[in-house]
Amino acid sequence: MTDENQPRPPSDQIIVVQPDDYQTEVKDYSTRQPAYHSPPSPPRSKMPLILFILTCLSTLIVGGIKGPFLPLPGQLQLLFYQINAMGWSTFLSNGFSYAGPVMLILLSHEMGHYLQSRRYHIPATRPLFIPMPMSPFGTMGAVILQRGGVANRKQMFDIAVSGPLAGLVFAIPFAYWGLLNSTVETVIPESGAVSFGEPLILKWMITLVHGPLAENQEIAMNSMLFAGWVGIFITALNLIPIGQLDGGHILYTLIGKRANTVAYLILLSAIGYMSYTGEFSYSLLILLLIFFGVAHPPTADDTVKLGPMRTIIGWSTLAFFIIGFTVTPITIH
């Protein structure tokens, strides 16, 4: 009988262990090297920042001299003489009183689009401002480029409607503040004099602040009021329900493909009106709308419901076009 507690002799079978039977994995958990490696993100373009700075300078100069200028070597020398004649303090006061509010309006408008795009993880560029010192506004606004076919109906609505609403949060108070500090002048139109059209909302505010005006009276446009006017005007233009404008996005999310029929009717009506009246102020806008497309492409999912609250907000935002748009924005006597 054997004792189980006694050690047994080794078996005659020998287990041969080959080196390939085991795999050795060495992990370095030191702080000198991360455990996971992600591909480096591409460097961000500096172009949005450069365009923003150029637009700030453009609006500052246009607001300071209260008129457009050509950024050419000979014209820059004349600009310097003009600023010296009016005084640098007056130039900077006028310039910042206009450039500050108008840039804030444009920035808030574009950030409304951009932040909603980030919220829904829709690829979009940062705001791209467009300096335009040759225009009386100093800028042609700003744009954000998005990848098409990614946002669904509700996401497209939120992205589109947030821009105009965010811009109006500042445009209307700036216009009202400018009116509070404005004066009423009796004017006799002279050759070369420039006057700006008054949309309904601005007429209502003028009546509220100054009362009804006579036919030969108008408001002296100060820098703050002009910035509010530009903000209201640009917002109304963006709410035209055509193509890739904010109004085109909003109308498409509200009524679907029927919005394309409305867009073509509005475009043909505008062309007919300009041909009949000889008023071609919006010719460039018409050409751009045709170039970028009048019809709105489908969203990633047109079946997503908006709900009653978004529907009310959408139609109310589009209605601002009626009270914010002016057929003749600038008149040169």
Side-chain angles (χ1 to χ4, degrees), residues 220-304:
M221 189 76 76
N222 56 49
S223 299
M224 184 75 68
L225 176 57
F226 187 48
W229 184 93
V230 171
I232 292 173
F233 177 67
I234 291 179
T235 302
L237 284 183
N238 271 286
L239 288 175
I240 298 175
I242 296 178
Q244 296 298 313
L245 295 176
D246 294 338
H249 295 314
I250 295 172
L251 187 64
Y252 184 87
T253 57
L254 288 172
I255 64 175
K257 295 181 179 180
R258 291 173 295 175
N260 295 333
T261 303
V262 176
Y264 280 108
L265 289 175
I266 292 176
L267 183 67
L268 293 175
S269 299
I271 294 175
Y273 174 82
M274 290 191 301
S275 301
Y276 178 76
T277 61
E279 175 63 48
F280 298 100
S281 301
Y282 296 101
S283 299
L284 178 60
L285 177 62
I286 295 295
L287 293 176
L288 291 175
L289 290 176
I290 295 174
F291 177 78
F292 287 105
V294 179
H296 193 286
T299 66
D301 187 357
D302 285 349
T303 62
V304 178

Side-chain angles (χ1 to χ4, degrees), residues 144-223:
I144 283 182
L145 304 179
Q146 295 180 1
R147 183 182 300 173
V150 179
N152 61 34
R153 181 186 181 189
K154 184 167 69 173
Q155 293 169 345
M156 177 65 70
F157 174 86
D158 289 349
I159 294 171
V161 81
S162 297
L165 294 180
L168 289 176
V169 167
F170 294 99
I172 295 176
F174 281 140
Y176 186 75
W177 191 3
L179 280 173
L180 292 176
N181 295 278
S182 65
T183 57
V184 179
E185 294 182 346
T186 302
V187 295
I188 300 176
E190 300 177 354
S191 177
V194 178
S195 59
F196 297 92
E198 298 171 353
L200 281 175
I201 188 172
L202 195 59
K203 290 181 178 179
W204 295 340
M205 286 193 287
I206 291 174
T207 303
L208 179 64
V209 175
H210 294 288
L213 301 183
E215 292 184 0
N216 61 340
Q217 289 182 326
E218 65 178 31
I219 300 297
M221 189 76 76
N222 56 49
S223 299

